[in-house]
């Protein structure tokens, strides 16, 4: 038996993370390109500014969110990774 065999499985597990799309409302000019590229993630308010959920991105929406971040002419979007705390 090696030292690797006696480590608990929890020690080998990576910490859980959540990925979220964020918007800097001060930097945003309300161009709306993000809503076209990530329609499942970004909605526009009545003035054309993006509204994003504070909920984590679904795996299927991550690619669209990344496209929106790359295409934003004002660099007002970013993807945030949040490490979740373990509950004991």
């Amino acid at each position: 038996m090696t030292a690797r065999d006696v480590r608990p499985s929890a020690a080998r597990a990576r910490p859980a993370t959540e990925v979220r799309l964020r918007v800097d409302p001060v930097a945003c000019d309300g161009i709306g390109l993000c809503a076209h590229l990530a329609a499942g993630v970004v909605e526009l308010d009545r003035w054309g500014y993006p509204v994003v959920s504070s909920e984590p991105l679904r795996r299927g929406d991550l690619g669209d969110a990344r496209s929106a971040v790359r295409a934003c002419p004002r660099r007002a979007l970013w993807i945030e990774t949040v490490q979740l705390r373990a509950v004991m």
Side-chain angles (χ1 to χ4, degrees), residues 52-88:
V52 297
S53 173
S54 61
E55 295 296 314
L57 288 171
R58 294 177 300 218
R59 189 171 296 216
D61 291 331
L62 187 55
D64 290 343
R66 285 184 176 142
S67 294
V69 168
R70 284 192 302 268
C72 180
R74 301 293 180 230
R75 302 292 181 238
L77 296 170
W78 72 95
I79 294 177
E80 176 181 69
T81 302
V82 178
Q83 185 172 349
L84 301 176
R85 293 183 182 165
V87 178
M88 295 191 173

Side-chain angles (χ1 to χ4, degrees), residues 8-68:
S9 62
R12 286 183 256 161
R14 292 184 178 186
T17 59
E18 291 181 346
V19 180
R20 298 181 181 127
L21 181 64
R22 295 292 189 216
V23 178
D24 179 349
V26 175
C28 180
D29 279 345
I31 296 167
L33 184 59
C34 55
H36 293 287
L37 295 172
V41 180
V42 180
E43 294 181 23
L44 298 179
D45 66 11
R46 62 182 177 169
W47 298 283
Y49 288 90
V51 177
V52 297
S53 173
S54 61
E55 295 296 314
L57 288 171
R58 294 177 300 218
R59 189 171 296 216
D61 291 331
L62 187 55
D64 290 343
R66 285 184 176 142
S67 294

